[in-house]
Amino acid sequence: HMSGWAMRGQGLPCFVSSFLFRPHQHHLPPPAHTTSFPALPSCHSGYRALHMSSDEKPKIRLGKRAKGKLSPAQAKAAAKNAALAKERESAIQELRNQKYPGGKPPAGGAGDEQLSNRAKFRQTPIDPKILERIRAERVCNQMGQAMRFAQRDVAQRAEAEKEKSFKGFARPPMYRDLPQHIVDMVGERRKDKLTFVAGALRMDQMPPEGLPEVCFCGRSNVGKSSLINAVTLSTTVRSSDKPGMTQQFNFYQLPRRLMVVDLPGYGFAFADPHKMEGWRLLMDAYNGQRKALKRAFVVIDARHGLKQNDVEFLNRLERSKTSFQVILTKCDLVKEDDLARRHTLVLDHLQGYSKALKTIRMLSAYTGAGLKELAQDLYSLSLK
């Protein structure tokens, strides 16, 4: 019933309401005003609500609260809240006086403890030398930029097409122009490529020591297996987007050159907690007892930097007196300035480790930027 809707205080202008609700023209006079009416009691009809004079309008009585006055109970509650607020402010000021001389934080706003991790990261200074190195190695280039740079002349485009058709794979676009000794190490023919040797869940299941050995370790799903495939130009190592796919110590061999070990990831993984605890114990035994182990490459996601699990693993490597080197991967997903800040933070943290190499590798297994330097490290270790 539309008159009831108008009556309950919707406040339509009079000329609209009269058009909608008035009866036939010959029974009623036209409205004499064009103002809106307040809500009226339900006893009034829609017609009377529209056409009553100002003297007939019901008088609205304002209570004490509407006039700005409070009841005794309300006044008492307000006084109590004001006293509590004053007491709270006094306690906060006392804590400020204890923490900062004069009761105010240092210039620049809040103290370091009050800054978020992102704000602290943004305040990290950028080393111009590191930034220059990042730009020279093009590690932050995305795939489109990397392909344009790699295929900047006709000869390189023809080489890429030849690899796709003849060798059955295409190397990352920026992992080219390799020295001959690197080509000999990773192998050109299938029989000279990376091969699987053994998988182990106990020390007695590991292959005998002989060749120099390196291992790749890091958080689950950080990209260790993909990195091994990229630097050795193979597809031997199984990789997956699912965290915890590597669930044993996988030993691979570059024939007559080097033993490469892919370790299970630490941190979050789709694996049983007891099994993950067994991996940690086996890692400690492996790092401490494996004589042929020349270096552990700790793979860190460049987007996130060192996490608590990474720091704990570095401490375990230090206790076992294992030489290790940090690799910042997935650099193509990071801006140049942010990568320079991340490098600075990681390098500062490594100053407290005697077994850590202070040269941090920055690379992308996807575009191939930085892989040539890592391959050179593997070649140098294969000669020891």
Side-chain angles (χ1 to χ4, degrees):
H1 187 34
M2 296 299 290
S3 63
W5 178 81
M7 177 185 61
R8 283 192 288 269
Q10 299 303 321
L12 285 173
C14 182
F15 70 92
V16 177
S17 302
S18 61
F19 176 79
L20 292 176
F21 305 122
R22 66 188 179 186
H24 299 293
Q25 286 280 357
H26 60 278
H27 291 298
L28 299 174
H33 48 76
T34 58
T35 57
S36 301
F37 291 104
L40 297 173
S42 59
C43 60
H44 296 278
S45 65
Y47 172 72
R48 186 179 179 188
L50 291 172
H51 301 292
M52 70 189 331
S53 64
S54 58
D55 296 335
E56 296 175 334
K57 295 178 185 179
K59 304 299 182 182
I60 302 176
R61 300 180 61 185
L62 298 177
K64 295 182 179 180
R65 186 173 183 181
K67 294 180 181 180
K69 297 181 180 179
L70 299 178
S71 66
Q74 292 172 334
K76 183 177 180 181
K80 183 178 180 181
N81 291 337
L84 289 175
K86 187 175 182 179
E87 183 180 354
R88 191 183 306 113
E89 183 62 29
S90 300
I92 293 174
Q93 187 61 39
E94 184 178 354
L95 291 175
R96 287 175 180 168
N97 293 335
Q98 295 176 0
K99 189 172 183 179
Y100 305 112
K104 292 184 178 181
D112 291 340
E113 296 81 357
Q114 299 176 354
L115 293 177
S116 65
N117 291 334
R118 185 180 295 273
K120 292 179 183 178
F121 177 74
R122 293 298 178 191
Q123 291 184 354
T124 304
I126 299 176
D127 189 338
K129 294 182 179 179
I130 298 300
L131 187 60
E132 182 180 358
R133 174 186 160 194
I134 291 171
R135 290 172 176 170
E137 296 179 2
R138 300 177 180 270
V139 292
C140 291
N141 284 12
Q142 297 183 354
M143 180 56 80
Q145 298 171 305
M147 292 184 67
R148 287 192 294 271
F149 176 77
Q151 300 180 9
R152 58 190 181 277
D153 56 44
V154 177
Q156 290 173 328
R157 288 197 294 270
E159 181 185 357
E161 292 300 325
K162 182 180 178 181
E163 284 184 355
K164 289 182 181 179
S165 59
F166 178 70
K167 296 184 180 180
F169 70 94
R171 73 180 71 186
M174 298 189 69
Y175 190 35
R176 299 180 181 277
D177 303 326
L178 301 180
Q180 188 59 41
H181 62 274
I182 300 295
V183 174
D184 294 338
M185 180 184 70
V186 300
E188 288 188 284
R189 296 175 298 179
R190 184 174 297 276
K191 67 177 185 178
D192 297 330
K193 304 295 291 182
L194 188 74
T195 57
F196 177 73
V197 177
L201 288 174
R202 301 192 309 269
M203 290 294 294
D204 57 2
Q205 294 177 341
M206 296 182 182
E209 301 183 40
L211 294 174
E213 195 167 295
V214 297
C215 68
F216 286 81
C217 45
R219 288 174 56 86
S220 298
N221 210 34
V222 76
K224 302 180 295 296
S225 303
S226 300
L227 177 57
I228 296 174
N229 278 333
V231 74
T232 60
L233 294 176
S234 69
T235 57
T236 306
V237 184
R238 184 183 180 187
S239 60
S240 173
D241 292 335
K242 180 180 178 180
M245 179 57 65
T246 304
Q247 300 200 2
Q248 61 181 359
F249 283 51
N250 291 324
F251 288 78
Y252 302 90
Q253 180 180 332
L254 288 170
R256 303 177 302 279
R257 295 281 186 173
L258 188 69
M259 187 76 74
V260 180
V261 188
D262 186 14
L263 302 187
Y266 51 82
F268 173 76
F270 290 109
D272 184 79
H274 298 287
K275 184 180 292 187
M276 295 179 65
E277 180 62 26
W279 295 344
R280 284 190 286 269
L281 296 176
L282 186 58
M283 282 182 190
D284 292 339
Y286 170 79
N287 294 328
Q289 301 177 23
R290 196 73 174 176
K291 304 290 185 186
L293 181 61
K294 301 301 180 183
R295 186 176 300 173
F297 291 100
V298 184
V299 185
I300 304 295
D301 193 326
R303 298 171 296 178
H304 310 303
L306 290 172
K307 298 289 187 179
Q308 183 61 35
N309 289 332
D310 298 314
V311 174
E312 293 174 359
F313 189 76
L314 296 182
N315 294 337
R316 285 156 56 190
L317 290 174
E318 180 74 11
R319 288 195 298 268
S320 63
K321 299 182 179 179
T322 303
S323 174
F324 64 91
Q325 184 176 10
V326 170
I327 297 175
L328 292 177
T329 188
K330 301 183 181 180
C331 293
D332 58 302
L333 304 177
V334 184
K335 296 181 179 179
E336 292 177 348
D337 292 351
D338 290 346
L339 182 58
R341 294 187 181 98
R342 189 69 67 196
H343 183 284
T344 299
L345 292 175
V346 174
L347 185 60
D348 290 345
H349 184 82
L350 293 180
Q351 300 304 319
Y353 297 92
S354 61
K355 305 302 292 184
L357 274 73
K358 303 308 185 285
T359 301
I360 300 174
R361 293 297 178 203
M362 297 175 289
L363 52 84
S364 168
Y366 185 49
T367 65
L371 288 181
K372 190 182 298 185
E373 290 75 14
L374 177 59
Q376 183 61 47
D377 291 340
L378 296 179
Y379 177 76
S380 301
L381 293 170
S382 68
L383 302 178
K384 293 184 179 181

